[in-house]
Amino acid sequence: MKMVVLDGYTENPGDLSWDSLREFGELTVYDRTGSEDEVIERIGDAQVVFVNKVPISKRVLEACPNIRFISVLATGYNVIDCRAAAEKGIPVSNVPTYGTAAVAQFAIALLLEVCHHVAHHSQAVHQGRWASNPDWCFWDSPLIELQGKTMGIIGFGRIGQATGRIARALGMKVIAYSRSVREDGKEIGDYVDLDTLLRTSDVIALHCPLFPETEGIINKANIEKMKDGVIIINNSRGQLVVEQDLADALNSGKVYAAGLDVVSTEPIREDNPLLKAKNCLITPHISWAPKESRQRIMDISADNLRAFAAGKPINVVNGVE
């Protein structure tokens, strides 16, 4: 088989190996691919395409008639025109589970940074401020203890539940709003309606998929229902937040702080209002990126390819078996 990886750098910047895919044929790996014309040129006569965030449109599929299989190096597959692929009998597979622990850990890392400003205070020490301080300690902002506070989690699937378990270990009460109620979720927290979650949570963590009903779920109207001084954590999808509404709430103090690993347009635009908002931590979409998680992506992608080669594709998201 002739295979191509269109945007391999984020998956493997050099600390992993593509050899598990090379076992199946000739593999060409590109770190990044830009325009649609370049996508078409680089796919050429390849039968298998691996992609993370590079769009595969109907035009690309029509221009590259040799494509037989598309494997997404991620969970989200909205960059693929899955309907057009299905019409051509091309299965599209994804990696449904690989970073549950990493993403949950990062959500809590954002929260702890909001509560303690560890990086800021370490930098202050290295700048000499502790050595020159008349007291034996100092802090520049309120420090927050989480025990006894309520974390509301919007989206209580695998990642939401993993975050809930860590929050419980910190002594927090966990409540959740989710499309479905699961017995394993009941062991971690209490299911509530959205308004109850918004009204009673001290911390709100977003772990839901991006659907029409969740897009912009953090908006002016819902923020007004929240407690004064609430903390918002989002390392799910940037489009869950109406960014100007959140920036306004941060600047007014209605929302005490936000910890974000995702924004609506990535890389972030220079005019994003959250860049100038008060108490807003923003990291560059790295929750998913520990080496262990990326190795799982590589391993599951190899499994997807192996299953396709055997005529029994797995993790198919567009119904083509």
Side-chain angles (χ1 to χ4, degrees):
M1 283 187 292
K2 190 172 183 179
M3 304 173 291
V4 62
V5 178
L6 292 177
D7 53 339
Y9 184 81
T10 51
E11 159 64 11
N12 179 17
D15 55 351
L16 301 178
S17 171
W18 296 104
D19 287 352
S20 60
L21 303 183
R22 289 195 171 97
E23 295 176 10
F24 296 88
E26 177 188 345
L27 178 70
T28 302
V29 179
Y30 296 99
D31 283 346
R32 301 167 187 87
T33 299
S35 69
E36 191 169 72
D37 288 340
E38 189 173 47
V39 171
I40 293 170
E41 178 186 354
R42 288 183 170 182
I43 293 175
D45 59 352
Q47 292 91 37
V48 176
V49 177
F50 291 93
V51 62
N52 193 326
K53 296 295 184 289
V54 172
I56 303 297
S57 66
K58 183 176 183 179
R59 175 174 174 249
V60 170
L61 294 170
E62 291 176 345
C64 302
N66 283 4
I67 296 176
R68 296 291 177 266
F69 178 56
I70 299 172
S71 186
V72 185
L73 298 166
T75 301
Y77 50 88
N78 58 299
V79 296
I80 312 295
D81 189 332
C82 287
R83 178 178 296 180
E87 290 173 353
K88 292 181 176 296
I90 302 169
V92 177
S93 293
N94 74 336
V95 181
T97 305
Y98 67 90
T100 299
V103 176
Q105 176 181 308
F106 201 91
I108 298 299
L110 288 169
L111 176 57
L112 292 176
E113 184 65 16
V114 166
C115 292
H116 298 292
H117 301 279
V118 173
H120 165 79
H121 286 102
S122 174
Q123 184 179 36
V125 170
H126 284 88
Q127 291 171 342
R129 290 183 54 199
W130 195 15
S132 62
N133 198 283
D135 302 309
W136 59 274
C137 72
F138 73 93
W139 57 92
D140 287 337
S141 58
L143 307 178
I144 299 171
E145 182 178 282
L146 292 171
Q147 180 169 303
K149 291 183 170 58
T150 297
M151 173 178 279
I153 302 175
I154 299 177
F156 213 43
R158 285 184 291 261
I159 296 174
Q161 289 185 24
T163 300
R165 283 190 290 269
I166 303 173
R168 283 190 60 184
L170 293 171
M172 301 186 75
K173 176 185 177 182
V174 175
I175 59 176
Y177 169 72
S178 188
R179 292 191 305 167
S180 58
V181 176
R182 296 166 45 172
E183 291 303 314
D184 50 357
K186 290 181 180 179
E187 298 175 1
I188 301 168
D190 297 325
Y191 285 91
V192 298
D193 59 71
L194 180 59
D195 280 355
T196 298
L197 184 145
L198 296 173
R199 188 179 66 253
T200 60
S201 297
D202 300 294
V203 178
I204 294 175
L206 302 178
H207 287 305
C208 55
L210 180 63
F211 293 130
E213 60 268 28
T214 59
E215 184 173 2
I217 196 169
I218 302 301
N219 55 50
K220 182 177 180 181
N222 280 341
I223 290 171
E224 289 175 353
K225 300 174 185 177
M226 298 176 190
K227 285 185 177 182
D228 292 345
V230 67
I231 297 169
I232 295 175
I233 303 296
N234 183 21
N235 60 336
S236 182
R237 291 290 183 266
Q239 296 91 336
L240 300 173
V241 174
V242 179
E243 291 171 334
Q244 187 62 62
D245 291 354
L246 178 56
D248 292 343
L250 286 163
N251 291 330
S252 72
K254 172 67 179 181
V255 174
Y256 171 70
L260 312 173
D261 187 48
V262 289
V263 292
S264 60
T265 300
E266 297 173 347
I268 194 169
R269 291 167 53 101
E270 292 182 357
D271 61 354
N272 189 307
L274 293 168
L275 286 171
K276 296 182 179 180
K278 296 178 181 177
N279 293 337
C280 189
L281 292 171
I282 307 175
T283 51
H285 202 149
I286 55 175
S287 298
W288 69 283
K291 184 178 181 180
E292 296 86 349
S293 295
R294 290 182 289 107
Q295 184 63 60
R296 288 188 201 100
I297 292 175
M298 192 75 77
D299 294 343
I300 296 170
S301 295
D303 291 341
N304 288 345
L305 180 58
R306 185 175 297 107
F308 165 74
K312 298 179 179 179
I314 58 174
N315 297 321
V316 175
V317 297
N318 69 335
V320 179
E321 299 294 333

